[in-house]
Amino acid sequence: MTEAAHGNAPESAPASAAPELAQVNIARLKFPLDSPELKDFVDALDPVNADAEAAPGYVWRLQSEGGDATDIPVFGDSWLIVNMSVWRDTDALTAYMYQGRHREMLSRRREWFERVREAMAVLWWVPAGHRPTVAEAEARLLHLRAHGPTPYAFTLRTSFPPQGAEPVSFAVPEELGCSV
């Protein structure tokens, strides 16, 4: 299966439809996915993904034939896993991220993933109906690391509207947010 075929089938969108928010986050595993140390994380993937798909503002998520994205390579590093999705806007994404099972998963991330100093999550606007590739996400993440938040690649802490005007600040709970 090609990378372009990964994910839920996109709905067609009219040319005048509002841009959608793409997000990617990657994580460096502390242990192999099939290890006892990652059992809780792996067991929670399906329920957390189902919660995302049922959340208001959810549009699409990257997945392989297995139903998640843990076997999709990112940056050529087998210890990195990727999560990529598209949402209506930052409000929809943050409403999902900071509640329920996903919030519980965030609170336990240090058990399962290495602490990394560089940015591991990035947001950007895409035309309605566009489904980003891992290569596109890697480019956006590298741009964020090199240039900081810009309309091309930004974070929840410093986001930009679809037109790329002035940044919009968002308060992320300190114990849950990314370091950028």
Side-chain angles (χ1 to χ4, degrees):
M1 176 182 266
T2 64
E3 181 181 304
H6 289 254
N8 309 39
E11 297 176 16
S12 4
S16 62
E20 297 168 334
L21 183 72
Q23 76 78 31
V24 70
N25 61 81
I26 60 174
R28 180 174 303 284
L29 297 169
K30 284 186 171 180
F31 311 98
L33 277 171
D34 60 356
S35 68
E37 293 87 352
L38 286 182
K39 183 178 181 347
D40 288 351
F41 170 74
V42 172
D43 288 350
L45 284 174
D46 287 342
V48 168
N49 286 334
D51 290 349
E53 291 175 357
Y58 166 86
V59 177
W60 169 89
R61 72 179 171 87
L62 177 69
Q63 58 184 300
S64 67
E65 291 176 9
D68 60 46
T70 57
D71 59 347
I72 297 175
V74 60
F75 287 118
D77 185 335
S78 62
W79 285 93
L80 290 176
I81 58 172
V82 62
N83 171 285
M84 184 164 51
S85 55
V86 175
W87 294 80
R88 179 185 62 235
D89 53 33
T90 55
D91 291 341
L93 174 61
T94 55
Y96 163 72
M97 284 178 60
Y98 297 115
Q99 66 180 351
R101 277 187 275 242
H102 191 269
R103 181 184 177 102
E104 292 169 23
M105 298 287 285
L106 278 176
S107 71
R108 295 186 63 193
R109 71 189 182 281
R110 299 287 178 244
E111 294 174 38
W112 305 314
F113 309 118
E114 296 289 341
R115 189 173 203 126
V116 179
R117 290 198 183 277
E118 58 199 357
M120 299 291 273
V122 66
L123 308 172
W124 70 100
W125 294 102
V126 297
H130 174 72
R131 301 301 169 244
T133 65
V134 171
E136 182 180 344
E138 289 171 339
R140 299 286 178 148
L141 190 53
L142 291 173
H143 187 274
L144 176 67
R145 289 175 180 176
H147 304 285
T150 67
Y152 181 80
F154 51 91
T155 67
L156 281 176
R157 288 189 194 277
T158 306
S159 65
F160 290 80
Q163 301 76 22
E166 293 300 312
V168 177
S169 293
F170 175 78
V172 176
E174 213 35 62
E175 73 278 6
L176 295 178
C178 60
S179 62
V180 202

